Amino acid sequence: MAGTIKDKVAIVGMGATKFGERWDVGWEDLVVEAAFEAYEDAGMSSQEACERIEAGWVGTVFSGISGAVMADPLKFDGKPISHVENQCATPLDAFRNACFAVAAGVYDIVLALGVEKLKDTGLSGVPSPEFFTNFGIYNGKIFSAPGSFGLPFVRYAAKYGAKKEDLARIAVKNHYNGSLNPKAHYQRVVTLEQVMKAPIVAWPHGIFDCCGNSDGAAAAIICRADMAKEFRDDYLLVKGVGVSVDAVLMHAYRPHFDYMGWPATQRAAQQAYAMAGITNPYKEIDMFEVHDCFTTTEMLTYEDLGLVPKGHAVEAIHDGRFELHGERPVNPSGGLKSFGHPIGASGLRMLYECYKQIQHKVDNPARQIGGNPRMGLAHQIGGAPNVSGVGIIGLPE
Amino acid sequence: MAAGITSYGAYVPYYRMERKEIAKAWQTGGGAGEKAVADYDQDSITLAVEAAVNCLADTDRSKIDRFYMATTTSSYREKQDAAIVALALDLPRQTGTADFTGSLRCGTAALRAALDAVDAGAAKNVLISAADCRVGVPKSDIELNTGDSSASLLIGNENVAVAVEGYYSHHDEIVDWWRKESDTFVHNWESRYIIESGYTRNVVEAVSATLKKYNLTPQDFSKLILYAPDLRTFNTTAAALKFDPKTQVQDPLFTVIGNSGSAFTLTMLVAALEQAKPGDRLLMVNYSSGCDVFILRVTEEIEKLRNRRGVSYHLDIKKPISSYEKYLQIRGIVPVEMARRPDDVCYSPAAWRDSEQLIAFKAQRCRKCGTMHLPRSRVCYTCKTKDEFDMVRLSDKKGTVVTYVIDNLAPSPNPPMVVAVVEIDECRTYVEITECAPEIAKIDMVVEPTFRRLFEAGTSAAGTFIAYYWKCRPVREV
C-alpha cells in the first residue's frame, strides 16, 4: 500500500550557492552559504534556525562522511542528522526522507541540504567510488558517465531517427537559459554550430552535450504544512516524491532491454505522480527541472517522464515547447548542462528553481517563465544509470 | 604411438610498426617490412592465451593435464604465468602448470618437456604456449629486429599430426644477448663477435651433429625452420647449412613479425605446418645458450588442423602504428599525458573472489529461468532464485554488439575507446571493443573476446599487481 504525503509538508525557505569552480571555498563554506540563504529566506536568524530545526538530512556522494557534513559547518550540536547517498538521486532522496519524517509527525521543522565539492581533485569527470571500480568487471576502466549515458543513442537514433543535431538543440536551449542565471556555472550562450563542432567527449556527446562538473550546495527548510504560514505566505507544498533503484548493470541483466529509455526515471516518476494524483504530467505540471547530465539523457527524459509519447522527443525538441518561454519550460535554470552539477546538491537546486519560479522571485526578471506556474517537477537519474529520484512541489490547491 | 604435435595455433598482434618509420625517426637505415607490436594492454601472458585459444579450437579442454608457459618477458618476477593462462583457458583444476623461462630456448625446452611427459606416460595431453614481447633500446638493431608473437602446441600420442623423429641438444656459455634482472632492454655484444662466435658456431655444430646422428643430409628435409637474430644472419646461415633458400627454407617472418624471442622458432613452425603436406620432414633449430634441434615428420592428421588460426590468419589482420612516437607510447618506453581520471581500485581479495568471471570470463546462467549474469550475482535478476546457476564460458564464443559509444573520456592510452554492451551466448555485458576504429563500430557487429591487461591494481602500501580482464574485438574473417 503506497501512501501519500501530498500537501502535508511545506517548504518555507530555500538557498542555493553560486555553482561553479569555487576554488576559494571548501565544502563547509558551501554548506554555510546554502543554509544561511535558506534561514534568511524563512525569516530566521541562525540562532533561531539552530533552535527550531529539529533534524537534518544531508546529501553528498564524495564530500564527506556522516551527518557531520551538516552538523559541523552549521554547528548543529547533537541533532539527529542522517547522511544520504544515492548517487545522482542523493539530494532528492535527502529531501524525500526529510519530508517523510515531517509527514510522519516526528518533527515539525527539518533541514534538507546537499553539497558537493568536485573541483579540487583536478580530475576530468566525476570520481569513481570504490564500489564501482571494484564491482565485478572493473567497470571503472571502461565506464565514463558521458559514455554510459550515451549508450542508448545509437539504438534510439536507428529506431526514431534522432540526430546529433537534435541533441545539440537541447544544449543550445539550456545554455541560453543559463546565460540569464547569475548563479549558473556557465553563463554564456552557444550556437548550434559550436555545439556540433565541439570536441567529442564520448560520442555522441561533445563537450557542450555534457553538464558542468561543479562545486555547490542547496538547502530547503521543510515544516508541517499547517505551520507554513508562520514563515511566509508564498510557501510551497510537497505534492509527491519518488525514488527508484535497480541493479547496477540492470540493462545488461534485463533480457531484451531495448535502450529506448531508462526504467529508473519511469518508476520514480510513476511513484511521484501517484502520490500527487497526477495523470497527465504535461498538462498538470507547469515546469520541469530534469537531469540533463548529458543531452541524450534530457531527450529520453521527455519520454520517460511521460511529457511526450515514446518516439516523439525529437519533434518536441524542434517545436520549442520546452524552451524558456515555451509551453512547458524544461530546465529554465540552465539545467545541469549550464547551471552545473555538484552531485549531492543538484536535486535540491532544481527544487530551488521551481520554488523561485512559482514565487515569481527569480533573480533575473528576464528569465521568469510565463503564465502563472503553480507546480514544478525536479528529476534526477544517476549510476549506470540505475538510480532516479523525482520530487513535485506546488502551491496549495 | 610416440608423442607428437596434435594441434597448433599462433597469434600475431594487430598493430605493426613499419621499419621505415623507425628509420625516419632516427635518420638511420631501417630494414624492410614491419614488426608486430603488442598493444599497450597486451603482454606475454595475454599473447600466450591468444595462441592457446587458437590451438585448442574445439578441443575438449577437460583432457589437458599439463600446461607449460614459455617466455622471457613475464610480467611477474615471482608468481606463475602458467597459472594465470591456465585459468584464462579454463583448464582443469588438476592441470599441472610450469613456467619455462630464462632463455630464448625456453619454448623448445617446454616442447621437449611436453614430449617427455607424454612419452613417459606421465601425461596424455600437454599444452604449451610460448610468447615474448622484448624491446630493444631505441635506435638499436634489436629494436628493428624484434617483434611480438606467440605460438602454442598441443602434445599427445593420439592423432599425432607431427611426429618427432629426432632430437638433439647442447648447451653453451657465451655473453651474446642478455637482460639482467634490472634491464628493460635486450643488450648484445659487438655484432660480428656474437654472430660468429655465438650463433653461427653453435648452429653449425648442432645441425652437423644432428644430421650425423640420424644419418641424414639437407636433401632429406622439406624445410628448415631456423632461429636467427636477424634476416641477414638467417640468410647466410641457411645457405651455409646447404639448404636451398628458394625451396627448402621456412620464411623467417622478419618482414612481417620480427624476432619474437622464445616464441620465434615455434611461430615459424606453425607457419610451416600451415603449408606442410603429409610426409614432409622438417628440421627445426633453436638457439640461445646452446641449441635445440628437432626432426619432425608431418602425418595425414595435419589435414584435420586446417581450420586452426595460425600465422597466416593474422598476417593480413593488422593496422600500422601511426608513428614511431606512438610505438614508444604503446610499449611504455616513454610516459604520455592521459585523461586525468580517478585511480582505479582493485584489491587482491576482490580479484581472487571474482577470478572465475575476470580471468576465465564465465557468466552465470540461471537454472530456473535461463537469465545470464555477468558480473556474478547470488540472486537471479529475473526470477529471484538464489544460488542456482551454471557457469558458462564466454571466452571461446562470438558475440554481437547491442549498443555502443565512442568514448574519449574513458581512460585509454589510445582514445577514443569504443565501449559496448555485447551479447555473447545470450549474456549481455559491458566490454571495451579493442582494435576497432570508431567508424567501423555498429549495432550487431560480430565480436570475439580477447584477454587483456586492464590496469595496475593494488595499493601504494602493499604494491601493485596486474588486473587482467577480457575485451572484445571485431571478428575479421580473411
Side-chain angles (χ1 to χ4, degrees), chain B residues 281-354:
Chain B
R281 186 189 269 150
L282 312 171
L283 184 68
M284 178 168 78
V285 184
N286 195 10
Y287 168 76
S288 173
S289 304
C291 280
D292 290 337
V293 183
F294 292 79
I295 300 171
L296 305 171
R297 173 82 80 165
V298 179
T299 78
E300 298 286 343
E301 293 287 330
I302 197 80
E303 302 296 351
K304 295 181 186 161
L305 302 177
R306 296 301 184 200
N307 68 345
R308 296 295 190 270
R309 283 183 184 176
V311 174
S312 62
Y313 171 87
H314 294 94
L315 289 184
D316 291 330
I317 298 175
K318 64 176 180 178
K319 185 172 180 183
I321 297 170
S322 53
S323 68
Y324 179 68
E325 291 83 349
K326 190 78 191 170
Y327 160 79
L328 294 178
Q329 182 199 355
I330 287 173
R331 292 322 303 153
I333 298 168
V334 293
V336 172
E337 174 83 12
M338 301 231 301
R340 294 194 178 180
R341 295 287 287 159
D343 289 337
D344 284 286
V345 182
C346 184
Y347 307 121
S348 173
W352 170 71
R353 283 194 297 274
D354 292 340

Side-chain angles (χ1 to χ4, degrees), chain A residues 56-79:
Chain A
W57 279 260
V58 61
T60 190
V61 179
F62 300 108
S63 305
I65 54 173
S66 90
V69 176
M70 177 183 283
D72 193 279
L74 300 180
K75 302 300 175 276
F76 272 9
D77 32 325
K79 292 188 198 298

Side-chain angles (χ1 to χ4, degrees), chain A residues 123-124 128 130 136-138 141-142 144 147 150-151 154-155 200-203 246 249 251-254 257 259, chain B residues 340-342 344-347 357-358 375 381 402-403 405-409 417 419 421 428 430 454-455 467 469:
Chain A
L123 299 171
S124 305
S128 295
E130 203 168 288
I137 57 170
Y138 298 138
K141 284 312 284 186
I142 53 173
S144 76
L151 281 171
V154 288
R155 292 194 72 89
I200 295 297
V201 179
W203 192 91
D246 207 328
L249 290 186
H251 44 118
Y253 291 157
R254 268 177 188 234
F257 181 64
Y259 289 90
Chain B
R340 294 194 178 180
R341 295 287 287 159
D344 284 286
V345 182
C346 184
Y347 307 121
Q357 72 185 30
L358 294 171
Y381 185 84
V402 177
T403 192
V405 289
I406 312 294
D407 200 329
N408 277 293
L409 187 58
M417 183 189 289
V419 180
V421 175
R428 285 187 179 187
Y430 275 90
L454 263 274
F455 63 104
Y469 189 50

Side-chain angles (χ1 to χ4, degrees), chain B residues 309 313 397-399 446-450 471-475:
Chain B
R309 283 183 184 176
Y313 171 87
K397 301 187 174 84
K398 291 181 173 60
V446 180
V447 296
E448 64 188 1
T450 171
K471 298 181 180 180
C472 279
R473 64 175 159 234
V475 175

